[in-house]
Amino acid sequence: MIPVQRCAVVTGASSGIGAETARQLAHQGCKVYVGARRLERLQALAEEIQGVALTLDVTDTESVCQFVDQLPEAVDILVNNAGGALGLEPIAEMEESHWQRMWDSNVLGLARMSKALYPRLLKASSGVGHLVNIGSIAAHETYAGGGGYTACKHAVKAITETLRVEWLGKPIRITEIDPGLVETEFSLVRFAGDAERAASVYAGMEPLVAADIADAISWVVSRPAHVNIDEIIIKPRAQARAGLVYRD
């Protein structure tokens, strides 16, 4: 019997974890649909992996609907990767626009995509759909200056656990991947393009790279259909907590 080609959807796929995840899923034989706002980058990635690039802004409900309308009726894997952090101000100096943007992408964006893809995940060609939410160790702890981001990632964890209850008995697996320090564009975006400040986050230690997280996702979605990996926390060996890192 010829195996069925699985359809995978990856959000926030124009760089970092999203792009590497798309590559590894394509290597597994999936047809990968990649979504993000930076279409030029997406198109280069899609050409590389023989996937499909579609514009997507998870903070915009209309954009989500237009994106989903271009997908096949059956989707096997959805990787909710879009999101990120903005700023590192204490709550007493909160930049409200940062909080609103983080909430809209990390939390509402993830919920929008999960809702929109639910009917397609139910029709997964492999028989079992799989939702993978990319969280953070910020879903498990807090740190000074991280109030907005940790609140968002705690919310991602709450949504993921709620979906496990609400979708119990449905042919859909649900996994949360919570990375620690991963050297991508994450800190560059957080610090508004300040490359020196972003580099200091990873100075004197060996952080994870995007491929490390993509490798975990690739493993999770390749387990037998009856196996659900609920959660994986991944940190560099040099990191004990969000703010506790050994540096040479």
Side-chain angles (χ1 to χ4, degrees):
M1 180 182 292
I2 299 175
V4 175
Q5 184 180 39
R6 293 185 297 172
C7 169
V9 175
V10 182
T11 71
S14 59
S15 65
I17 293 171
E20 286 300 322
T21 297
R23 290 186 179 98
Q24 293 206 24
L25 292 179
H27 183 70
Q28 276 194 8
C30 295
K31 181 70 173 182
V32 185
Y33 290 75
V34 289
R37 291 174 296 183
R38 296 179 289 187
L39 186 58
E40 187 174 329
R41 284 195 182 190
L42 276 185
Q43 288 171 333
L45 173 63
E47 184 176 350
E48 174 192 336
I49 66 173
Q50 297 183 312
V52 179
L54 299 171
T55 302
L56 173 64
D57 180 355
V58 300
T59 71
D60 183 332
T61 301
E62 183 176 348
S63 175
V64 169
C65 291
Q66 290 175 350
F67 175 84
V68 173
D69 284 345
Q70 298 176 78
L71 299 176
E73 283 300 308
V75 171
D76 296 88
I77 301 164
L78 167 60
V79 181
N80 276 321
N81 171 69
L86 294 170
L88 199 62
E89 306 87 8
I91 294 173
E93 300 169 15
M94 176 182 70
E95 178 60 56
E96 189 169 331
S97 65
H98 285 173
W99 284 52
Q100 289 175 334
R101 288 163 61 192
M102 285 190 289
W103 193 266
D104 210 10
S105 60
N106 290 283
V107 184
L108 291 176
L110 178 145
R112 289 184 186 102
M113 289 300 298
S114 301
K115 174 186 176 182
L117 267 294
Y118 175 63
R120 284 170 164 76
L121 289 169
L122 285 173
K123 298 176 184 177
S125 58
S126 58
V128 177
H130 201 150
L131 173 66
V132 181
N133 290 334
I134 307 304
S136 167
I137 60 170
H140 302 267
E141 55 185 278
T142 60
Y143 55 91
Y149 184 63
T150 59
C152 287
K153 290 307 185 183
H154 274 68
V156 166
K157 183 170 182 59
I159 289 171
T160 304
E161 293 183 355
T162 301
L163 286 174
R164 287 199 191 99
V165 174
E166 294 180 345
W167 293 2
L168 183 64
K170 304 296 183 184
I172 302 176
R173 300 189 289 184
I174 302 172
T175 298
E176 181 178 337
I177 306 287
D178 292 331
L181 285 172
V182 185
E183 189 168 13
T184 61
E185 294 181 357
F186 177 89
S187 291
L188 194 64
V189 172
R190 180 172 215 168
F191 299 130
D194 185 334
E196 184 176 351
R197 190 177 181 191
S200 70
V201 174
Y202 314 106
M205 54 89 67
E206 184 177 0
L208 301 172
V209 295
D212 295 323
I213 310 307
D215 183 57
I217 296 167
S218 181
W219 177 76
V220 161
V221 301
S222 67
R223 297 306 85 206
H226 71 287
V227 176
N228 191 90
I229 307 300
D230 280 21
E231 179 181 272
I232 298 181
I233 299 174
I234 312 175
K235 292 182 286 191
R237 180 166 50 86
Q239 183 178 29
R241 293 180 59 83
L244 185 57
V245 178
Y246 177 79
R247 301 180 191 274
D248 294 332

